[in-house]
Amino acid sequence: ELASLKARLTTIETGAQIDSNSPVPPGKLLNTTTGNLYGTFRSAIQASASGDRLLVGEGEFRVSSMIDIINKQGLQLIGAGADKTKVISSDMGNVVIDIQHSEAIVLAGMLLPHEEPTTNQCQYGVILLESSRNITIKDNTIRGSGVWGIDSSKTWGTLKVTNNIIEENTQDGIIFRGEHPNLRIFVFSDNTVRKNAGYAFKCDNCSFKEDLVFQGGDNVESGNKKGIFDTSFSQSFQNEVGSSLAY
């Protein structure tokens, strides 16, 4: 019976239905809401509806262009674990995952690097957040050779970054760009930010509400070449985030 199930799964075409309780075949994405199985991130995300949960199977996914999550609500993209689901981009001129004008997005359980450059150095980061609200990034390894691990531009509501390893990026671990007047809560806990060539936290003309609520603890920072904070951050931001870090 198990052999029959495995044989059936290996013949499934993109968009075909399976029992949503079945294990996700390696190299595939399963929409647990519809039971549809997909062979690419693009097809799975484009077909998703509000509130859908996409499970990403074990194995190595090589993508040649960035993964776009645009105008989506409540989408969860969940791998089998950063040691099991590897999403490697060969597009050195773009980020690995771009989240734009979206709300309540969850990225979890994946290793997210660019491939090691041979001739062209990577020009962008790993995860880009653009004008999006209530984003959760958890249980990932966010690794160079991306320029920045997480690149936030006008994130709103709540940004939760928990239990990630953010390492070996060619500039900074996390960069905030521009004004974030509607970011109300920043949750940063149980992360390791290490061995980035710039700062752990970089501010590019960034600003926050005075009543921004910070929640966090049990983070580890080590070996970031320029230090923990770009001095452009407010002292209160440095004090609050810094108190959550172990060295």
Side-chain angles (χ1 to χ4, degrees):
E1 185 175 334
L2 180 59
S4 174
L5 174 61
K6 288 182 177 178
R8 183 169 68 88
L9 291 177
T10 57
T11 61
I12 291 175
E13 299 295 332
T14 297
Q17 285 193 332
I18 65 170
D19 182 349
S20 61
N21 293 316
S22 297
V24 183
K28 301 291 184 182
L29 295 90
L30 172 65
N31 187 319
T32 62
T33 305
T34 64
N36 288 345
L37 193 70
Y38 299 90
T40 67
F41 281 89
R42 182 183 297 274
S43 59
I45 292 169
Q46 286 182 343
S48 67
S50 295
D52 281 357
R53 186 168 179 252
L54 299 177
L55 298 184
V56 188
E58 297 183 11
E60 186 173 281
F61 296 78
R62 289 199 166 265
V63 295
S64 59
S65 59
M66 68 182 174
I67 298 168
D68 289 314
I69 300 176
I70 301 175
N71 295 320
K72 293 290 183 180
Q73 289 77 42
L75 179 65
Q76 300 180 54
L77 192 62
I78 301 175
D83 59 334
K84 297 177 180 177
T85 301
K86 302 177 182 180
V87 184
I88 303 172
S89 176
S90 61
D91 185 355
M92 308 303 276
N94 281 303
V95 297
V96 180
I97 298 179
D98 181 17
I99 302 175
Q100 291 188 43
H101 304 289
S102 295
E103 181 173 357
I105 305 299
V106 177
L107 299 180
M110 295 177 283
L111 170 65
L112 299 168
H114 288 86
E115 67 181 14
E116 290 295 328
T118 53
T119 55
N120 296 323
Q121 186 70 31
C122 183
Q123 301 174 41
Y124 288 91
V126 180
I127 299 172
L128 176 60
L129 311 176
E130 297 185 274
S131 300
S132 292
R133 181 192 305 267
N134 300 337
I135 305 299
T136 298
I137 301 170
K138 64 179 183 178
D139 305 327
N140 303 287
T141 296
I142 302 166
R143 178 180 296 164
S145 56
V147 179
W148 305 281
I150 299 172
D151 186 343
S152 173
S153 177
K154 295 185 179 178
T155 306
W156 303 343
T158 299
L159 173 60
K160 295 182 180 179
V161 180
T162 61
N163 199 40
N164 301 281
I165 297 173
I166 305 171
E167 65 179 3
E168 298 177 8
N169 293 285
T170 58
Q171 289 193 29
D172 310 293
I174 301 172
I175 184 169
F176 289 94
R177 297 182 189 277
E179 297 180 353
H180 283 65
N182 296 308
L183 180 62
R184 303 192 178 279
I185 301 174
F186 178 35
V187 180
F188 189 78
S189 63
D190 301 292
N191 300 285
T192 298
V193 188
R194 65 188 181 195
K195 297 181 180 178
N196 297 287
Y199 296 97
F201 294 88
K202 171 75 173 178
C203 174
D204 182 5
N205 294 314
C206 70
S207 63
F208 305 95
K209 289 176 64 70
E210 289 186 7
D211 59 351
L212 172 68
V213 175
F214 174 76
Q215 299 172 357
D218 299 320
N219 299 291
V220 175
E221 181 278 335
S222 67
N224 296 289
K225 190 170 183 180
K226 291 187 177 180
I228 302 173
F229 298 107
D230 169 13
T231 56
S232 298
F233 281 109
S234 68
Q235 192 60 54
S236 63
F237 184 95
Q238 294 185 51
N239 290 343
E240 291 198 63
V241 176
S243 67
S244 76
L245 298 173
Y247 309 100

